[in-house]
Amino acid sequence: MEEKQTARVSVPRTAAVRATALAAAIVTVAAGLGVRAAAGGDVAKYAGDALYTVLIHALVVVLVPRVRPLTAAGAALAFSWAVELAQLTGVPADLARQSTVARLVLGSTFNAPDLLWYGVGAALAWAVHSGLRAGRSPARP
């Protein structure tokens, strides 16, 4: 009996990781918009803070697909904290008055509890990223 061979398309690992991270970034933005639409006040604000760091983590993975989960989470947390601490200078507030994009990316007003919620987002992103890496087949490089 003759066996049929199916053609297998091999997607390079880095391309698959980048595509997954990009999808995660899109889902994260949608989640942030959804939280803002469904909830208000502190729930929306602090969920947004955590999701901001998750988004940064996903973007780090898009740029550096072989990055380790802890390194990506640390970079995302450091970036988030740097943006928050920059708000103490007033520069982000000035930029936010001139640009909606700057307001969304940089914020405008320092809020110490945000630092904690960025940590929550980094921990969540690290856990998901670690879980995805652990679930990958050992036969694949």
Side-chain angles (χ1 to χ4, degrees):
M1 183 173 266
E2 191 176 309
E3 286 186 39
K4 286 187 177 181
Q5 291 187 358
T6 57
R8 273 197 147 159
V9 176
S10 179
V11 176
R13 182 177 164 348
T14 55
V17 170
R18 278 191 170 114
T20 301
L22 187 57
I26 292 167
V27 168
T28 301
V29 170
L33 294 172
V35 168
R36 284 197 76 104
D42 288 345
V43 171
K45 179 179 179 2
Y46 295 128
D49 290 341
L51 289 169
Y52 179 86
T53 303
V54 170
L55 175 62
I56 299 304
H57 182 108
L59 295 176
V60 167
V61 177
V62 168
L63 293 173
V64 186
R66 294 188 187 272
V67 68
R68 293 179 181 205
L70 187 59
T71 303
L77 182 59
F79 181 85
S80 299
W81 280 352
V83 168
E84 189 69 27
L85 293 172
Q87 292 171 358
L88 292 169
T89 68
V91 172
D94 291 340
L95 294 171
R97 283 191 285 278
Q98 298 172 22
S99 165
T100 301
V101 173
R103 182 177 53 79
L104 292 172
V105 174
L106 301 175
S108 60
T109 308
F110 176 79
N111 185 27
D114 291 354
L115 299 171
L116 168 71
W117 290 101
Y118 295 139
V120 170
L124 176 64
W126 169 82
V128 171
H129 188 178
S130 294
L132 289 172
R133 280 181 60 125
R136 147 176 120 214
S137 167
R140 298 179 101 184

